Amino acid sequence: MDEQQFWDLIEAARRPGPDDAGAVVERATALLAVRPRQEILAAQQLLWDAMAESYRGDLWGAAYLINGGCSDDAFDYFRGWLIVQGREVFERAVASPDSLAELPSVREAAANHADLDCERTLGLAWDAHLAATGEQMSGDCYTIAYPEIVFDWDFDDPAETARRLPRLAALYGE
């Protein structure tokens, strides 16, 4: 499995229509579980490559604003949610976190004071491997190479947040 096939898998899981992130993960897990073991292992690496790519201070600031705070684990779960939104949304958000304000799901979450997260995404390949083989995936079959993260603003500073994330700040009343 290559990067394009990984994102195609996510898109296929999204196709039945708008749904919550957990349902997308469930469908993606089922689609992945029928693939060869090596593809499942490759998907695990690709998932964590996407997690590393999205490990950015500005995106953490967006998650902090959207979810009303954001711990280390919560940032992982937010990025899990982001991955199951599909490649286009993911890449746009990594390049410009304020672009998340355009998404109907983000607008709905703002209106309902709901968090955007999906912890289950992190276990997508793990669960597919278990379903396919009946065995736990080895923890040494993938690597996680997080870059150095830069926090260059105080997420609790509304003026700075509004300057850096104007559309999200307007949506969330900052």
Side-chain angles (χ1 to χ4, degrees):
M1 173 172 286
D2 62 22
E3 185 178 11
Q4 183 59 51
Q5 291 169 320
F6 174 79
W7 288 111
D8 288 347
L9 176 84
I10 298 298
E11 287 304 320
R14 293 181 54 73
R15 264 191 217 117
D19 216 344
D20 68 54
V24 174
V25 171
E26 189 174 307
R27 289 189 294 266
T29 300
L31 290 168
L32 185 57
V34 298
R35 298 213 174 180
R37 180 178 182 274
Q38 286 308 108
E39 287 190 34
I40 297 170
L41 296 176
Q44 175 74 340
Q45 183 61 60
L46 291 162
L47 171 69
W48 287 97
D49 290 348
M51 291 291 289
E53 180 183 350
S54 60
Y55 191 72
R56 301 172 42 95
D58 54 352
L59 190 60
W60 201 321
Y64 190 92
L65 178 60
I66 289 168
N67 289 339
C70 192
S71 67
D72 292 351
D73 288 346
F75 187 46
D76 284 346
Y77 307 156
F78 174 81
R79 289 177 295 137
W81 169 84
L82 184 58
I83 288 167
V84 298
Q85 302 312 298
R87 187 177 201 168
E88 182 181 327
V89 169
F90 176 85
E91 289 179 349
R92 197 169 55 237
V94 169
S96 174
D98 203 37
S99 69
L100 290 167
E102 301 164 8
L103 298 178
S105 57
V106 173
R107 292 179 171 282
E108 183 179 329
N112 296 324
H113 306 287
D115 287 349
L116 295 174
D117 56 36
C118 189
E119 180 180 1
R120 292 179 61 193
T121 304
L122 309 184
L124 188 157
W126 191 275
D127 292 342
H129 186 274
L130 183 61
T133 67
E135 299 172 1
Q136 296 288 330
M137 182 185 294
S138 170
D140 64 356
C141 68
Y142 63 101
T143 59
I144 304 170
Y146 282 137
E148 179 92 18
I149 197 162
V150 176
F151 294 106
D152 56 356
W153 97 84
D154 177 358
F155 301 152
D156 287 320
D157 179 345
E160 187 63 16
T161 298
R163 187 180 76 72
R164 292 175 183 257
L165 303 167
R167 293 179 290 169
L168 282 171
L171 191 59
Y172 281 86
E174 287 290 314

